[in-house]
PDB file of all heavy atoms in Angstrom:
ATOM      1  N   ASN A1365      -5.468  -7.106   9.957  1.00 85.00           N
ATOM      2  CA  ASN A1365      -6.626  -7.620   9.483  1.00 85.00           C
ATOM      3  C   ASN A1365      -6.722  -7.498   7.929  1.00 85.00           C
ATOM      4  O   ASN A1365      -7.609  -8.090   7.302  1.00 85.00           O
ATOM      5  CB  ASN A1365      -7.876  -6.931  10.156  1.00 85.00           C
ATOM      6  CG  ASN A1365      -7.998  -7.317  11.587  1.00 85.00           C
ATOM      7  OD1 ASN A1365      -7.551  -8.331  12.025  1.00 85.00           O
ATOM      8  ND2 ASN A1365      -8.622  -6.400  12.414  1.00 85.00           N
ATOM      9  N   ASP A1366      -5.976  -6.614   7.475  1.00 89.00           N
ATOM     10  CA  ASP A1366      -5.954  -6.401   5.875  1.00 89.00           C
ATOM     11  C   ASP A1366      -5.127  -7.323   5.168  1.00 89.00           C
ATOM     12  O   ASP A1366      -5.142  -7.426   3.947  1.00 89.00           O
ATOM     13  CB  ASP A1366      -5.471  -4.945   5.661  1.00 89.00           C
ATOM     14  CG  ASP A1366      -6.330  -3.982   6.213  1.00 89.00           C
ATOM     15  OD1 ASP A1366      -7.577  -4.053   6.238  1.00 89.00           O
ATOM     16  OD2 ASP A1366      -5.791  -2.834   6.509  1.00 89.00           O
ATOM     17  N   ALA A1367      -4.304  -8.198   5.832  1.00 89.00           N
ATOM     18  CA  ALA A1367      -3.176  -8.980   5.212  1.00 89.00           C
ATOM     19  C   ALA A1367      -3.865  -9.927   4.221  1.00 89.00           C
ATOM     20  O   ALA A1367      -3.381 -10.094   3.063  1.00 89.00           O
ATOM     21  CB  ALA A1367      -2.353  -9.676   6.290  1.00 89.00           C
ATOM     22  N   PRO A1368      -4.916 -10.805   4.530  1.00 92.00           N
ATOM     23  CA  PRO A1368      -5.469 -11.702   3.677  1.00 92.00           C
ATOM     24  C   PRO A1368      -6.105 -11.043   2.345  1.00 92.00           C
ATOM     25  O   PRO A1368      -5.890 -11.497   1.286  1.00 92.00           O
ATOM     26  CB  PRO A1368      -6.744 -12.313   4.392  1.00 92.00           C
ATOM     27  CG  PRO A1368      -6.187 -12.254   5.960  1.00 92.00           C
ATOM     28  CD  PRO A1368      -5.629 -10.917   5.972  1.00 92.00           C
ATOM     29  N   ALA A1369      -6.660  -9.949   2.492  1.00 93.00           N
ATOM     30  CA  ALA A1369      -7.281  -9.088   1.403  1.00 93.00           C
ATOM     31  C   ALA A1369      -6.104  -8.594   0.479  1.00 93.00           C
ATOM     32  O   ALA A1369      -6.226  -8.484  -0.762  1.00 93.00           O
ATOM     33  CB  ALA A1369      -8.184  -7.931   1.810  1.00 93.00           C
ATOM     34  N   LEU A1370      -5.041  -8.060   1.119  1.00 92.00           N
ATOM     35  CA  LEU A1370      -3.864  -7.588   0.301  1.00 92.00           C
ATOM     36  C   LEU A1370      -3.234  -8.643  -0.495  1.00 92.00           C
ATOM     37  O   LEU A1370      -2.784  -8.490  -1.653  1.00 92.00           O
ATOM     38  CB  LEU A1370      -2.857  -7.020   1.271  1.00 92.00           C
ATOM     39  CG  LEU A1370      -3.067  -5.688   2.014  1.00 92.00           C
ATOM     40  CD1 LEU A1370      -2.137  -5.372   3.026  1.00 92.00           C
ATOM     41  CD2 LEU A1370      -3.144  -4.541   0.984  1.00 92.00           C
ATOM     42  N   ALA A1371      -3.311  -9.913   0.101  1.00 91.00           N
ATOM     43  CA  ALA A1371      -2.682 -10.943  -0.595  1.00 91.00           C
ATOM     44  C   ALA A1371      -3.633 -11.416  -1.832  1.00 91.00           C
ATOM     45  O   ALA A1371      -3.151 -11.824  -2.911  1.00 91.00           O
ATOM     46  CB  ALA A1371      -2.349 -12.168   0.305  1.00 91.00           C
ATOM     47  N   ALA A1372      -4.914 -11.270  -1.543  1.00 93.00           N
ATOM     48  CA  ALA A1372      -5.827 -11.764  -2.673  1.00 93.00           C
ATOM     49  C   ALA A1372      -6.123 -10.792  -3.737  1.00 93.00           C
ATOM     50  O   ALA A1372      -6.474 -11.364  -4.859  1.00 93.00           O
ATOM     51  CB  ALA A1372      -7.257 -11.992  -1.891  1.00 93.00           C
ATOM     52  N   ALA A1373      -5.730  -9.398  -3.567  1.00 94.00           N
ATOM     53  CA  ALA A1373      -5.835  -8.508  -4.648  1.00 94.00           C
ATOM     54  C   ALA A1373      -4.765  -8.728  -5.679  1.00 94.00           C
ATOM     55  O   ALA A1373      -3.788  -9.244  -5.503  1.00 94.00           O
ATOM     56  CB  ALA A1373      -5.721  -7.168  -3.926  1.00 94.00           C
ATOM     57  N   ASP A1374      -5.227  -8.136  -6.895  1.00 94.00           N
ATOM     58  CA  ASP A1374      -4.167  -8.268  -8.043  1.00 94.00           C
ATOM     59  C   ASP A1374      -3.042  -7.329  -7.753  1.00 94.00           C
ATOM     60  O   ASP A1374      -1.821  -7.650  -7.962  1.00 94.00           O
ATOM     61  CB  ASP A1374      -4.892  -7.484  -9.237  1.00 94.00           C
ATOM     62  CG  ASP A1374      -6.019  -8.441  -9.774  1.00 94.00           C
ATOM     63  OD1 ASP A1374      -5.725  -9.583 -10.169  1.00 94.00           O
ATOM     64  OD2 ASP A1374      -7.107  -7.964  -9.665  1.00 94.00           O
ATOM     65  N   ILE A1375      -3.172  -6.060  -6.907  1.00 92.00           N
ATOM     66  CA  ILE A1375      -2.123  -5.253  -6.404  1.00 92.00           C
ATOM     67  C   ILE A1375      -2.453  -4.945  -4.941  1.00 92.00           C
ATOM     68  O   ILE A1375      -3.495  -4.449  -4.675  1.00 92.00           O
ATOM     69  CB  ILE A1375      -1.902  -4.013  -7.283  1.00 92.00           C
ATOM     70  CG1 ILE A1375      -1.801  -4.341  -8.639  1.00 92.00           C
ATOM     71  CG2 ILE A1375      -0.907  -3.273  -6.693  1.00 92.00           C
ATOM     72  CD1 ILE A1375      -1.633  -3.089  -9.615  1.00 92.00           C
ATOM     73  N   GLY A1376      -1.643  -5.414  -3.984  1.00 93.00           N
ATOM     74  CA  GLY A1376      -1.838  -5.126  -2.676  1.00 93.00           C
ATOM     75  C   GLY A1376      -0.872  -3.859  -2.252  1.00 93.00           C
ATOM     76  O   GLY A1376       0.435  -3.947  -2.578  1.00 93.00           O
ATOM     77  N   ILE A1377      -1.421  -2.897  -1.770  1.00 91.00           N
ATOM     78  CA  ILE A1377      -0.633  -1.737  -1.400  1.00 91.00           C
ATOM     79  C   ILE A1377      -0.813  -1.478   0.104  1.00 91.00           C
ATOM     80  O   ILE A1377      -1.852  -1.313   0.708  1.00 91.00           O
ATOM     81  CB  ILE A1377      -1.277  -0.332  -2.150  1.00 91.00           C
ATOM     82  CG1 ILE A1377      -1.209  -0.746  -3.573  1.00 91.00           C
ATOM     83  CG2 ILE A1377      -0.383   0.860  -1.762  1.00 91.00           C
ATOM     84  CD1 ILE A1377      -1.895   0.398  -4.475  1.00 91.00           C
ATOM     85  N   ALA A1378       0.385  -1.481   0.696  1.00 87.00           N
ATOM     86  CA  ALA A1378       0.483  -1.235   2.210  1.00 87.00           C
ATOM     87  C   ALA A1378       0.845   0.308   2.320  1.00 87.00           C
ATOM     88  O   ALA A1378       1.851   0.778   1.915  1.00 87.00           O
ATOM     89  CB  ALA A1378       1.526  -2.090   2.914  1.00 87.00           C
ATOM     90  N   MET A1379       0.045   0.929   3.217  1.00 82.00           N
ATOM     91  CA  MET A1379       0.394   2.375   3.416  1.00 82.00           C
ATOM     92  C   MET A1379       1.146   2.612   4.808  1.00 82.00           C
ATOM     93  O   MET A1379       0.815   2.119   5.751  1.00 82.00           O
ATOM     94  CB  MET A1379      -0.998   3.238   3.627  1.00 82.00           C
ATOM     95  CG  MET A1379      -1.807   3.165   2.413  1.00 82.00           C
ATOM     96  SD  MET A1379      -0.905   4.122   0.991  1.00 82.00           S
ATOM     97  CE  MET A1379      -0.616   5.715   1.920  1.00 82.00           C
ATOM     98  N   GLY A1380       2.300   3.225   4.583  1.00 72.00           N
ATOM     99  CA  GLY A1380       3.065   3.632   5.747  1.00 72.00           C
ATOM    100  C   GLY A1380       3.989   2.628   6.228  1.00 72.00           C
ATOM    101  O   GLY A1380       3.590   1.301   6.337  1.00 72.00           O
ATOM    102  N   ALA A1381       5.081   3.034   6.435  1.00 60.00           N
ATOM    103  CA  ALA A1381       6.244   1.962   6.859  1.00 60.00           C
ATOM    104  C   ALA A1381       5.901   1.566   8.419  1.00 60.00           C
ATOM    105  O   ALA A1381       6.542   0.449   8.815  1.00 60.00           O
ATOM    106  CB  ALA A1381       7.646   2.757   6.852  1.00 60.00           C
ATOM    107  N   THR A1382       4.972   2.130   9.009  1.00 59.00           N
ATOM    108  CA  THR A1382       4.696   1.843  10.371  1.00 59.00           C
ATOM    109  C   THR A1382       3.546   0.953  10.497  1.00 59.00           C
ATOM    110  O   THR A1382       2.969   0.620  11.510  1.00 59.00           O
ATOM    111  CB  THR A1382       4.430   2.982  11.294  1.00 59.00           C
ATOM    112  OG1 THR A1382       3.332   3.785  10.685  1.00 59.00           O
ATOM    113  CG2 THR A1382       5.583   3.887  11.451  1.00 59.00           C
ATOM    114  N   GLY A1383       3.046   0.374   9.305  1.00 58.00           N
ATOM    115  CA  GLY A1383       1.932  -0.583   9.301  1.00 58.00           C
ATOM    116  C   GLY A1383       2.343  -1.861   9.832  1.00 58.00           C
ATOM    117  O   GLY A1383       3.430  -2.033  10.068  1.00 58.00           O
ATOM    118  N   SER A1384       1.433  -2.747  10.034  1.00 67.00           N
ATOM    119  CA  SER A1384       1.712  -4.077  10.502  1.00 67.00           C
ATOM    120  C   SER A1384       2.797  -4.871   9.613  1.00 67.00           C
ATOM    121  O   SER A1384       2.611  -4.657   8.276  1.00 67.00           O
ATOM    122  CB  SER A1384       0.479  -4.914  10.731  1.00 67.00           C
ATOM    123  OG  SER A1384      -0.125  -5.370   9.573  1.00 67.00           O
ATOM    124  N   ASP A1385       3.526  -5.522  10.202  1.00 74.00           N
ATOM    125  CA  ASP A1385       4.458  -6.310   9.370  1.00 74.00           C
ATOM    126  C   ASP A1385       3.673  -7.331   8.378  1.00 74.00           C
ATOM    127  O   ASP A1385       4.147  -7.527   7.278  1.00 74.00           O
ATOM    128  CB  ASP A1385       5.396  -7.164  10.267  1.00 74.00           C
ATOM    129  CG  ASP A1385       6.320  -6.343  11.049  1.00 74.00           C
ATOM    130  OD1 ASP A1385       6.586  -5.111  10.669  1.00 74.00           O
ATOM    131  OD2 ASP A1385       6.954  -6.693  12.036  1.00 74.00           O
ATOM    132  N   ALA A1386       2.627  -7.881   9.025  1.00 73.00           N
ATOM    133  CA  ALA A1386       1.913  -8.800   8.129  1.00 73.00           C
ATOM    134  C   ALA A1386       1.345  -8.177   6.899  1.00 73.00           C
ATOM    135  O   ALA A1386       1.355  -8.801   5.783  1.00 73.00           O
ATOM    136  CB  ALA A1386       0.761  -9.467   8.943  1.00 73.00           C
ATOM    137  N   ALA A1387       0.766  -7.007   6.944  1.00 77.00           N
ATOM    138  CA  ALA A1387       0.326  -6.186   5.868  1.00 77.00           C
ATOM    139  C   ALA A1387       1.372  -5.899   4.942  1.00 77.00           C
ATOM    140  O   ALA A1387       1.214  -6.077   3.661  1.00 77.00           O
ATOM    141  CB  ALA A1387      -0.401  -4.858   6.399  1.00 77.00           C
ATOM    142  N   ILE A1388       2.530  -5.377   5.297  1.00 79.00           N
ATOM    143  CA  ILE A1388       3.496  -5.071   4.415  1.00 79.00           C
ATOM    144  C   ILE A1388       4.094  -6.297   3.765  1.00 79.00           C
ATOM    145  O   ILE A1388       4.482  -6.203   2.499  1.00 79.00           O
ATOM    146  CB  ILE A1388       4.730  -4.282   5.313  1.00 79.00           C
ATOM    147  CG1 ILE A1388       4.225  -3.034   5.832  1.00 79.00           C
ATOM    148  CG2 ILE A1388       5.973  -4.194   4.403  1.00 79.00           C
ATOM    149  CD1 ILE A1388       5.260  -2.423   6.679  1.00 79.00           C
ATOM    150  N   GLU A1389       4.244  -7.515   4.460  1.00 82.00           N
ATOM    151  CA  GLU A1389       4.745  -8.649   3.798  1.00 82.00           C
ATOM    152  C   GLU A1389       3.719  -9.181   2.739  1.00 82.00           C
ATOM    153  O   GLU A1389       4.126  -9.824   1.740  1.00 82.00           O
ATOM    154  CB  GLU A1389       5.037  -9.720   4.792  1.00 82.00           C
ATOM    155  CG  GLU A1389       6.296  -9.503   5.696  1.00 82.00           C
ATOM    156  CD  GLU A1389       7.470  -9.467   4.807  1.00 82.00           C
ATOM    157  OE1 GLU A1389       7.624 -10.261   4.030  1.00 82.00           O
ATOM    158  OE2 GLU A1389       8.457  -8.733   5.252  1.00 82.00           O
ATOM    159  N   SER A1390       2.484  -9.001   2.953  1.00 83.00           N
ATOM    160  CA  SER A1390       1.358  -9.414   2.052  1.00 83.00           C
ATOM    161  C   SER A1390       1.260  -8.605   0.900  1.00 83.00           C
ATOM    162  O   SER A1390       0.631  -8.901  -0.237  1.00 83.00           O
ATOM    163  CB  SER A1390      -0.014  -9.502   2.852  1.00 83.00           C
ATOM    164  OG  SER A1390       0.050 -10.521   3.948  1.00 83.00           O
ATOM    165  N   ALA A1391       1.701  -7.303   0.958  1.00 85.00           N
ATOM    166  CA  ALA A1391       1.450  -6.412  -0.178  1.00 85.00           C
ATOM    167  C   ALA A1391       2.461  -6.538  -1.249  1.00 85.00           C
ATOM    168  O   ALA A1391       3.570  -6.974  -1.034  1.00 85.00           O
ATOM    169  CB  ALA A1391       1.418  -4.951   0.507  1.00 85.00           C
ATOM    170  N   ASP A1392       2.108  -6.117  -2.445  1.00 88.00           N
ATOM    171  CA  ASP A1392       2.997  -6.041  -3.524  1.00 88.00           C
ATOM    172  C   ASP A1392       3.764  -4.721  -3.600  1.00 88.00           C
ATOM    173  O   ASP A1392       5.004  -4.655  -4.004  1.00 88.00           O
ATOM    174  CB  ASP A1392       2.282  -6.119  -4.896  1.00 88.00           C
ATOM    175  CG  ASP A1392       1.535  -7.408  -5.084  1.00 88.00           C
ATOM    176  OD1 ASP A1392       2.134  -8.490  -5.003  1.00 88.00           O
ATOM    177  OD2 ASP A1392       0.216  -7.319  -5.068  1.00 88.00           O
ATOM    178  N   VAL A1393       3.217  -3.612  -3.027  1.00 87.00           N
ATOM    179  CA  VAL A1393       3.872  -2.324  -2.967  1.00 87.00           C
ATOM    180  C   VAL A1393       3.622  -1.828  -1.609  1.00 87.00           C
ATOM    181  O   VAL A1393       2.726  -1.886  -0.972  1.00 87.00           O
ATOM    182  CB  VAL A1393       3.187  -1.408  -3.994  1.00 87.00           C
ATOM    183  CG1 VAL A1393       3.794   0.019  -3.880  1.00 87.00           C
ATOM    184  CG2 VAL A1393       3.172  -1.888  -5.475  1.00 87.00           C
ATOM    185  N   ALA A1394       4.737  -1.107  -1.143  1.00 83.00           N
ATOM    186  CA  ALA A1394       4.700  -0.406   0.290  1.00 83.00           C
ATOM    187  C   ALA A1394       5.126   0.909   0.064  1.00 83.00           C
ATOM    188  O   ALA A1394       6.140   1.249  -0.311  1.00 83.00           O
ATOM    189  CB  ALA A1394       5.415  -1.206   1.323  1.00 83.00           C
ATOM    190  N   PHE A1395       4.090   1.879   0.508  1.00 84.00           N
ATOM    191  CA  PHE A1395       4.487   3.269   0.545  1.00 84.00           C
ATOM    192  C   PHE A1395       5.045   3.727   1.863  1.00 84.00           C
ATOM    193  O   PHE A1395       4.403   3.277   2.844  1.00 84.00           O
ATOM    194  CB  PHE A1395       3.223   4.203   0.162  1.00 84.00           C
ATOM    195  CG  PHE A1395       2.704   4.067  -1.227  1.00 84.00           C
ATOM    196  CD1 PHE A1395       1.334   4.255  -1.510  1.00 84.00           C
ATOM    197  CD2 PHE A1395       3.637   3.863  -2.254  1.00 84.00           C
ATOM    198  CE1 PHE A1395       0.921   4.334  -2.852  1.00 84.00           C
ATOM    199  CE2 PHE A1395       3.165   3.681  -3.543  1.00 84.00           C
ATOM    200  CZ  PHE A1395       1.875   3.957  -3.929  1.00 84.00           C
ATOM    201  N   THR A1396       6.135   4.350   1.827  1.00 79.00           N
ATOM    202  CA  THR A1396       6.648   4.929   3.133  1.00 79.00           C
ATOM    203  C   THR A1396       5.885   5.983   3.755  1.00 79.00           C
ATOM    204  O   THR A1396       5.854   6.185   4.958  1.00 79.00           O
ATOM    205  CB  THR A1396       8.203   5.270   2.955  1.00 79.00           C
ATOM    206  OG1 THR A1396       8.210   6.254   1.990  1.00 79.00           O
ATOM    207  CG2 THR A1396       8.999   4.070   2.484  1.00 79.00           C
ATOM    208  N   GLY A1397       5.134   6.757   2.895  1.00 75.00           N
ATOM    209  CA  GLY A1397       4.377   7.887   3.512  1.00 75.00           C
ATOM    210  C   GLY A1397       3.025   7.499   3.680  1.00 75.00           C
ATOM    211  O   GLY A1397       2.577   6.350   3.440  1.00 75.00           O
ATOM    212  N   HIS A1398       2.294   8.397   4.431  1.00 80.00           N
ATOM    213  CA  HIS A1398       0.867   8.154   4.804  1.00 80.00           C
ATOM    214  C   HIS A1398      -0.061   8.904   3.998  1.00 80.00           C
ATOM    215  O   HIS A1398      -1.341   8.864   4.186  1.00 80.00           O
ATOM    216  CB  HIS A1398       0.712   8.414   6.250  1.00 80.00           C
ATOM    217  CG  HIS A1398       1.484   7.689   7.197  1.00 80.00           C
ATOM    218  ND1 HIS A1398       0.870   6.340   7.600  1.00 80.00           N
ATOM    219  CD2 HIS A1398       2.640   7.639   7.816  1.00 80.00           C
ATOM    220  CE1 HIS A1398       1.756   5.807   8.442  1.00 80.00           C
ATOM    221  NE2 HIS A1398       2.938   6.480   8.562  1.00 80.00           N
ATOM    222  N   ASP A1399       0.383   9.937   3.178  1.00 84.00           N
ATOM    223  CA  ASP A1399      -0.482  10.773   2.354  1.00 84.00           C
ATOM    224  C   ASP A1399      -1.140   9.901   1.265  1.00 84.00           C
ATOM    225  O   ASP A1399      -0.446   9.566   0.295  1.00 84.00           O
ATOM    226  CB  ASP A1399       0.364  11.920   1.693  1.00 84.00           C
ATOM    227  CG  ASP A1399      -0.539  12.939   1.155  1.00 84.00           C
ATOM    228  OD1 ASP A1399      -1.626  12.708   0.836  1.00 84.00           O
ATOM    229  OD2 ASP A1399      -0.052  14.127   1.000  1.00 84.00           O
ATOM    230  N   LEU A1400      -2.476   9.746   1.272  1.00 87.00           N
ATOM    231  CA  LEU A1400      -3.167   8.988   0.227  1.00 87.00           C
ATOM    232  C   LEU A1400      -3.159   9.536  -1.095  1.00 87.00           C
ATOM    233  O   LEU A1400      -3.465   8.942  -2.105  1.00 87.00           O
ATOM    234  CB  LEU A1400      -4.635   8.684   0.858  1.00 87.00           C
ATOM    235  CG  LEU A1400      -4.762   7.915   1.996  1.00 87.00           C
ATOM    236  CD1 LEU A1400      -6.215   7.882   2.461  1.00 87.00           C
ATOM    237  CD2 LEU A1400      -4.316   6.472   1.716  1.00 87.00           C
ATOM    238  N   ARG A1401      -2.737  10.842  -1.226  1.00 88.00           N
ATOM    239  CA  ARG A1401      -2.587  11.444  -2.482  1.00 88.00           C
ATOM    240  C   ARG A1401      -1.490  10.811  -3.305  1.00 88.00           C
ATOM    241  O   ARG A1401      -1.430  10.909  -4.585  1.00 88.00           O
ATOM    242  CB  ARG A1401      -2.370  12.945  -2.378  1.00 88.00           C
ATOM    243  CG  ARG A1401      -3.543  13.636  -2.003  1.00 88.00           C
ATOM    244  CD  ARG A1401      -3.259  15.189  -1.739  1.00 88.00           C
ATOM    245  NE  ARG A1401      -2.489  15.394  -0.533  1.00 88.00           N
ATOM    246  CZ  ARG A1401      -2.260  16.493   0.076  1.00 88.00           C
ATOM    247  NH1 ARG A1401      -2.711  17.534  -0.487  1.00 88.00           N
ATOM    248  NH2 ARG A1401      -1.564  16.591   1.227  1.00 88.00           N
ATOM    249  N   LEU A1402      -0.684   9.909  -2.687  1.00 86.00           N
ATOM    250  CA  LEU A1402       0.246   9.146  -3.413  1.00 86.00           C
ATOM    251  C   LEU A1402      -0.373   8.060  -4.331  1.00 86.00           C
ATOM    252  O   LEU A1402       0.131   7.731  -5.428  1.00 86.00           O
ATOM    253  CB  LEU A1402       1.194   8.396  -2.376  1.00 86.00           C
ATOM    254  CG  LEU A1402       2.219   9.198  -1.608  1.00 86.00           C
ATOM    255  CD1 LEU A1402       2.865   8.347  -0.490  1.00 86.00           C
ATOM    256  CD2 LEU A1402       3.279   9.692  -2.479  1.00 86.00           C
ATOM    257  N   LEU A1403      -1.546   7.742  -4.035  1.00 88.00           N
ATOM    258  CA  LEU A1403      -2.279   6.732  -4.777  1.00 88.00           C
ATOM    259  C   LEU A1403      -2.524   7.177  -6.205  1.00 88.00           C
ATOM    260  O   LEU A1403      -2.118   6.430  -7.183  1.00 88.00           O
ATOM    261  CB  LEU A1403      -3.522   6.160  -4.101  1.00 88.00           C
ATOM    262  CG  LEU A1403      -3.294   5.428  -2.729  1.00 88.00           C
ATOM    263  CD1 LEU A1403      -4.590   5.259  -1.977  1.00 88.00           C
ATOM    264  CD2 LEU A1403      -2.532   4.199  -2.945  1.00 88.00           C
ATOM    265  N   PRO A1404      -3.332   8.116  -6.375  1.00 89.00           N
ATOM    266  CA  PRO A1404      -3.709   8.523  -7.820  1.00 89.00           C
ATOM    267  C   PRO A1404      -2.350   8.819  -8.631  1.00 89.00           C
ATOM    268  O   PRO A1404      -2.273   8.649  -9.704  1.00 89.00           O
ATOM    269  CB  PRO A1404      -4.563   9.808  -7.749  1.00 89.00           C
ATOM    270  CG  PRO A1404      -4.451  10.188  -6.228  1.00 89.00           C
ATOM    271  CD  PRO A1404      -4.104   9.014  -5.408  1.00 89.00           C
ATOM    272  N   ARG A1405      -1.435   9.476  -7.841  1.00 87.00           N
ATOM    273  CA  ARG A1405      -0.171   9.654  -8.593  1.00 87.00           C
ATOM    274  C   ARG A1405       0.558   8.534  -8.976  1.00 87.00           C
ATOM    275  O   ARG A1405       1.137   8.539 -10.137  1.00 87.00           O
ATOM    276  CB  ARG A1405       0.841  10.595  -7.621  1.00 87.00           C
ATOM    277  CG  ARG A1405       0.290  12.014  -7.556  1.00 87.00           C
ATOM    278  CD  ARG A1405       0.773  12.708  -6.312  1.00 87.00           C
ATOM    279  NE  ARG A1405       2.267  12.772  -6.265  1.00 87.00           N
ATOM    280  CZ  ARG A1405       2.993  13.093  -5.146  1.00 87.00           C
ATOM    281  NH1 ARG A1405       2.362  13.571  -4.134  1.00 87.00           N
ATOM    282  NH2 ARG A1405       4.249  13.145  -5.265  1.00 87.00           N
ATOM    283  N   ALA A1406       0.580   7.516  -8.190  1.00 86.00           N
ATOM    284  CA  ALA A1406       1.193   6.235  -8.494  1.00 86.00           C
ATOM    285  C   ALA A1406       0.530   5.556  -9.607  1.00 86.00           C
ATOM    286  O   ALA A1406       1.148   5.041 -10.582  1.00 86.00           O
ATOM    287  CB  ALA A1406       1.197   5.278  -7.277  1.00 86.00           C
ATOM    288  N   PHE A1407      -0.846   5.537  -9.580  1.00 88.00           N
ATOM    289  CA  PHE A1407      -1.625   4.881 -10.788  1.00 88.00           C
ATOM    290  C   PHE A1407      -1.259   5.644 -12.036  1.00 88.00           C
ATOM    291  O   PHE A1407      -1.158   5.120 -13.144  1.00 88.00           O
ATOM    292  CB  PHE A1407      -3.040   4.996 -10.436  1.00 88.00           C
ATOM    293  CG  PHE A1407      -3.394   4.002  -9.326  1.00 88.00           C
ATOM    294  CD1 PHE A1407      -4.406   4.390  -8.442  1.00 88.00           C
ATOM    295  CD2 PHE A1407      -2.906   2.840  -9.246  1.00 88.00           C
ATOM    296  CE1 PHE A1407      -4.907   3.370  -7.485  1.00 88.00           C
ATOM    297  CE2 PHE A1407      -3.204   1.852  -8.188  1.00 88.00           C
ATOM    298  CZ  PHE A1407      -4.246   2.336  -7.289  1.00 88.00           C
ATOM    299  N   ALA A1408      -1.316   7.096 -11.885  1.00 87.00           N
ATOM    300  CA  ALA A1408      -1.025   7.834 -13.208  1.00 87.00           C
ATOM    301  C   ALA A1408       0.469   7.500 -13.774  1.00 87.00           C
ATOM    302  O   ALA A1408       0.695   7.408 -14.918  1.00 87.00           O
ATOM    303  CB  ALA A1408      -1.268   9.222 -12.961  1.00 87.00           C
ATOM    304  N   HIS A1409       1.350   7.425 -12.828  1.00 87.00           N
ATOM    305  CA  HIS A1409       2.705   7.100 -13.202  1.00 87.00           C
ATOM    306  C   HIS A1409       2.729   5.749 -13.813  1.00 87.00           C
ATOM    307  O   HIS A1409       3.572   5.562 -14.882  1.00 87.00           O
ATOM    308  CB  HIS A1409       3.708   7.270 -12.065  1.00 87.00           C
ATOM    309  CG  HIS A1409       5.121   7.019 -12.230  1.00 87.00           C
ATOM    310  ND1 HIS A1409       5.822   8.063 -13.103  1.00 87.00           N
ATOM    311  CD2 HIS A1409       6.036   6.104 -11.998  1.00 87.00           C
ATOM    312  CE1 HIS A1409       7.036   7.592 -13.227  1.00 87.00           C
ATOM    313  NE2 HIS A1409       7.205   6.429 -12.549  1.00 87.00           N
TER     314      HIS A1409
END
């Protein structure tokens, strides 16, 4: 259900390699982990 929004965003981020294929394909970035603390670290990097 997140795939259309991921495609519409400037940056689409799919969380977790076990997420839906549609979400991962629609995203610009896919994190293999599920820890959301990856997000602020990625933005800072």
Side-chain angles (χ1 to χ4, degrees):
N1365 291 336
D1366 298 323
L1370 287 168
D1374 296 292
I1375 301 175
I1377 303 173
M1379 289 299 302
T1382 58
S1384 78
D1385 292 340
I1388 293 174
E1389 288 295 328
S1390 301
D1392 301 295
V1393 180
F1395 288 152
T1396 56
H1398 294 274
D1399 191 337
L1400 290 173
R1401 285 172 293 192
L1402 290 168
L1403 293 173
R1405 286 161 55 188
F1407 290 143
H1409 185 63

